[in-house]
Amino acid sequence: MSSESEAFDDIGPIDYLVVEYPGGRPTGEALPYLVDLVDRGLIRILDLVFVRKGEDGSVAAVDIVDLTRDMGTDDADLTVFEGATSGLLGREDIEEAGQAIGAGSTAAILLYENRWAAPFARALRRNGARLVAAGRIPVQDLVAALDSVEADVEAEGRAESGAGTGS
């Protein structure tokens, strides 16, 4: 095993999120939860970048200090994440995130390591396993799928109860 691969042996899976705040700015309500995840060692923030898309479609990174000031609330001090950058997110990533959000909106791009999964990932790597697929299911899609399954089960139940009545 090379020393380079050993250096990455303790790294958990890396994920990213782009969270849009349509037509406005973040309120900071979710900030304590993000800080808690970091404090408990569940995640490590690699990059946190905010972007704003103008009404004309232009996309620009927003300084965390400026965004905190613009929010006008004492409850949301984003400066705790000032300097949270690995350099992995570049201009191209910011532009791509900007294409995904609506005009007049702000978005957060969060790149993070799932530290809680590092021991599991390490054990898999040591046994020669490799990740061949990964994904996320949005909560709205999960709820819709469960509703569909429930409707199908109810329809089957009605059909079965009607089949035995001779109607």
Side-chain angles (χ1 to χ4, degrees):
M1 185 181 278
S2 74
S3 62
E4 184 175 307
S5 63
E6 288 174 2
F8 295 105
D9 201 33
D10 291 328
I11 294 178
I14 308 297
D15 284 324
Y16 75 93
L17 302 172
V18 177
V19 180
E20 178 183 20
Y21 299 90
R25 295 176 178 88
T27 63
E29 184 178 342
L31 183 63
Y33 299 104
L34 183 58
V35 171
D36 181 58
L37 292 171
V38 172
D39 287 348
R40 291 191 296 146
L42 298 175
I43 68 168
R44 176 173 56 126
I45 295 177
L46 301 173
D47 283 295
L48 177 60
V49 176
F50 287 89
V51 298
R52 195 170 282 153
K53 186 172 190 175
E55 294 297 336
D56 63 354
S58 62
V59 177
V62 180
D63 186 78
I64 287 179
V65 174
D66 294 339
L67 187 62
T68 299
R69 185 183 59 245
D70 291 350
M71 288 168 40
T73 176
D74 294 332
D75 298 332
D77 185 7
L78 295 170
T79 58
V80 68
F81 295 112
E82 188 176 16
T85 180
S86 65
L88 293 171
L89 290 179
R91 183 73 201 154
E92 186 177 299
D93 301 306
I94 292 170
E95 288 294 331
E96 187 175 334
Q99 297 307 312
I101 65 173
S105 295
T106 299
I109 308 170
L110 178 64
L111 181 67
Y112 62 97
E113 174 193 1
N114 290 287
R115 297 189 76 180
W116 60 270
F120 174 66
R122 179 176 50 249
L124 291 173
R125 286 189 292 264
R126 285 186 180 159
N127 286 299
R130 63 186 181 94
L131 181 65
V132 295
R136 298 265 184 218
I137 301 172
V139 172
Q140 300 88 333
D141 293 349
L142 177 66
V143 169
L146 291 172
D147 288 346
S148 177
V149 168
E150 184 178 342
D152 289 348
V153 168
E154 289 175 3
E156 284 179 22
R158 286 191 300 271
E160 288 176 6
S161 66
T165 60
S167 37

